[in-house]
Amino acid sequence: MDQDSHCTEERELLEAVSRITTSSTTSPSDEEENQPKAEISCQVRKENPEKDDMQDSSATLSPNSSMTTKELQEYWRNEKRQCKQIKLLFEIPSTRIVEQHLSKYVMYKIIILQTGSFDSNKSVIERRYSDFEKLHRNLLEEFSEEMEDITFPKKTLTGNFTEEIINERKLAFKDYLRLLYSMKYIRRSKKFIDFLTRPELQEAYGCLRGGQYTKALEILLEVIGLQERLTRRNPAAIVPTLCAIVVCHKDLENPASAFEYGEKALSRLRVHTSHRYYIPLLDTMITLAYELGKDFLSLQEKLEEWKTKKDPIRVFTLKELAVREYVR
């Protein structure tokens, strides 16, 4: 390939990268309008497109002018990857019938997958008809207008355990969850998030209070990924779960893992230093850092800085806070 044709190919790739970057400045579709900004990976800049283009050109494209064609192609692929919309998909592949004492009910296995990224993790939960029914009732109270066109599968007097009825409900509940998630105010609501996470969290904290740290940790690690997906706009929302994981690892004598999750929790509290978990977490992290031979002076400085700004108050330990979560 001669030099002119090589330069032409690089110029075409640069133009393509520029189109991907500036495409985020176009008006969003109806579906994108309905998505929270935090769930769109690519930046949207509308105030001054010409100025932004100039900044992009100098800040992003100029350094790339020295890239090889292969490097430019990889950069282009990464840009497209980042601009994929992040959303969740719900599948209900199977069910099981539970007979317990005098009751009998169907448990629906729900698989929750994330699209728009290369994250292959999935969350698996189980819910019964009465759980869906309670969710629907709660959402009607708070979102009556949004819910007015959403139908809910009705109970039948007979045949609830036939294969035909169960399969119909599998499809109905799948569509029901998809519709709820498509409405931003509902998918961000505590009631919707609780439906998807609370039963597992209650079980995990019950195990933690009973000293079953291995079992508690297993459940917490399963649910934390789903919590992260559901609360992208509120990073501090998963701090209690991260801190419970710290407590479990610490009591299981895994200080390195405890410190790792403690760092994740602290990163979500950078602008939330008044959060009830902040000081107990800092205190625990200082202990862990000392044990692991890590630098704990910066953590100690943050703790002292907080103490000079706040009046002395009774502060619970991290474990004391954790065991109080999800107490019925």
Side-chain angles (χ1 to χ4, degrees), residues 109 111-114 119-124 222 226 229:
K109 181 179 180 180
I111 297 179
I112 305 163
L113 301 165
Q114 178 175 300
D119 184 0
S120 60
N121 292 334
K122 64 182 180 182
S123 300
V124 182
E222 282 286 330
L226 179 56
R229 292 168 171 83

Side-chain angles (χ1 to χ4, degrees), residues 1-12 65 69:
M1 179 183 294
D2 59 31
Q3 186 173 0
D4 289 342
S5 60
H6 181 75
C7 291
T8 301
E9 184 176 355
E10 288 194 351
R11 187 164 56 252
E12 288 174 351
S65 62
T69 300

Side-chain angles (χ1 to χ4, degrees), residues 5-55:
S5 60
H6 181 75
C7 291
T8 301
E9 184 176 355
E10 288 194 351
R11 187 164 56 252
E12 288 174 351
L13 282 167
L14 284 169
E15 290 173 355
V17 170
S18 180
R19 282 196 298 273
I20 293 171
T21 306
T22 56
S23 67
S24 63
T25 65
T26 59
S27 299
S29 65
D30 291 341
E31 184 179 355
E32 289 170 334
E33 283 269 348
N34 201 30
Q35 296 291 329
K37 292 180 182 177
E39 292 179 358
I40 304 296
S41 298
C42 45
Q43 298 271 342
V44 179
R45 297 178 291 248
K46 295 183 180 178
E47 291 82 0
N48 191 338
E50 292 182 3
K51 183 178 179 181
D52 284 340
D53 287 344
M54 291 174 63
Q55 289 174 341

Side-chain angles (χ1 to χ4, degrees), residues 202-219:
Q202 285 179 328
E203 182 184 0
Y205 279 96
C207 292
L208 191 155
R209 283 188 288 275
Q212 298 174 276
Y213 301 114
T214 301
K215 180 63 175 177
L217 184 60
E218 179 185 333
I219 301 170

Side-chain angles (χ1 to χ4, degrees), residues 69-111:
T69 300
K70 184 177 181 180
E71 289 172 334
L72 283 167
Q73 288 172 334
E74 181 61 28
Y75 178 83
W76 184 14
R77 281 193 291 270
N78 287 336
E79 284 293 306
K80 287 196 295 184
R81 200 175 297 149
Q82 290 172 2
C83 287
K84 286 184 178 179
Q85 188 178 355
I86 296 174
K87 58 183 179 180
L88 299 182
L89 295 177
F90 299 88
E91 296 290 340
I92 304 181
S94 61
T95 62
R96 63 187 179 94
I97 296 175
V98 178
E99 295 191 53
Q100 201 171 44
H101 302 300
L102 300 176
S103 65
K104 183 178 179 181
Y105 53 89
V106 179
M107 293 294 288
Y108 296 85
K109 181 179 180 180
I110 305 168
I111 297 179

Side-chain angles (χ1 to χ4, degrees), residues 155-185:
K155 281 185 176 178
T156 58
L157 295 176
T158 59
N160 285 306
F161 301 100
T162 64
E163 185 177 353
E164 181 182 2
I165 293 295
I166 290 174
N167 286 334
E168 284 180 4
R169 285 184 177 171
K170 278 168 54 179
L171 295 173
F173 284 143
K174 173 184 172 180
D175 288 340
Y176 178 73
L177 291 173
R178 177 182 59 81
L179 284 170
L180 292 182
Y181 185 77
S182 71
M183 293 180 280
K184 64 180 180 180
Y185 295 113

